[in-house]
């Protein structure tokens, strides 16, 4: 499969032993920090395949082989997972004493190689669209009728077809 994988996908790994006789064994390990490796329970000592569960973060897999006649050997692979899209929205009046607009600022975390677009909403109605490629932070000033209301944004990434809605920000009557 192509890497990176999307969050929640799984992977099947295949190990083909090199210098092993019939007495040779190997063991599967995993790590999420590439420092501390944990044996994979139930992976056996001669299992050539490992089927992961759903992965939500980068995971390293390591196979250690031994047979008594060849030196111990290790093979390591990183299964790269696309970061989960995340976003936060802030809203402020342009002038606290006599507001004429609501300034919205969206900060988001996305893979820089992905194309990101944003739809801005007030009270459930689309008020603006920022086409791809958007970069963080992104600002939009709403000057439409009635500044009070509930604002949110929906950010979309072409990587993994991710879509994330920000928490709603409520602006009181000025």
């Amino acid at each position: 499969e192509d890497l990176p994988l999307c969050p929640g996908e799984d992977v099947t790994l295949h190990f083909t032993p090199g210098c092993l006789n019939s007495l040779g064994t190997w063991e599967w390990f995993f790590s999420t920090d590439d420092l501390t490796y944990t044996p994979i329970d139930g992976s056996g000592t001669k299992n050539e395949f490992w089927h992961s569960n759903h992965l939500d973060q980068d995971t390293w897999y390591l196979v250690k082989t031994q047979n008594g006649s060849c030196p111990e050997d290790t093979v390591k692979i990183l299964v790269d997972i696309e970061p989960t899209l995340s976003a936060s929205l802030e809203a402020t009046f342009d002038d606290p004493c006599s507001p004429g607009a609501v300034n919205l600022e969206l900060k988001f975390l996305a893979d820089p190689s992905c194309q990101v677009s944003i739809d801005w909403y007030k009270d459930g109605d689309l008020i603006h669209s920022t086409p791809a490629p958007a970069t963080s932070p992104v600002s939009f000033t709403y000057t439409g009728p009635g500044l009070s209301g509930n604002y949110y944004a929906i950010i979309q990434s072409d990587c993994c077809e991710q879509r994330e809605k920000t928490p709603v920000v409520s602006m009181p009557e000025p």
Side-chain angles (χ1 to χ4, degrees), residues 151-170:
Y151 294 85
Y152 64 93
I154 295 178
I155 180 171
Q156 298 179 67
S157 169
D158 66 348
C159 293
C160 300
E161 299 180 18
Q162 293 187 71
R163 179 181 164 103
E164 180 71 20
K165 178 183 171 191
T166 66
V168 172
V169 176
S170 294

Side-chain angles (χ1 to χ4, degrees), residues 18-26 46 66-70:
C19 180
L20 284 179
N21 58 31
S22 62
L23 301 176
T25 62
W26 55 90
K46 290 194 175 199
Q66 55 189 344
N67 72 356
S69 57
C70 295

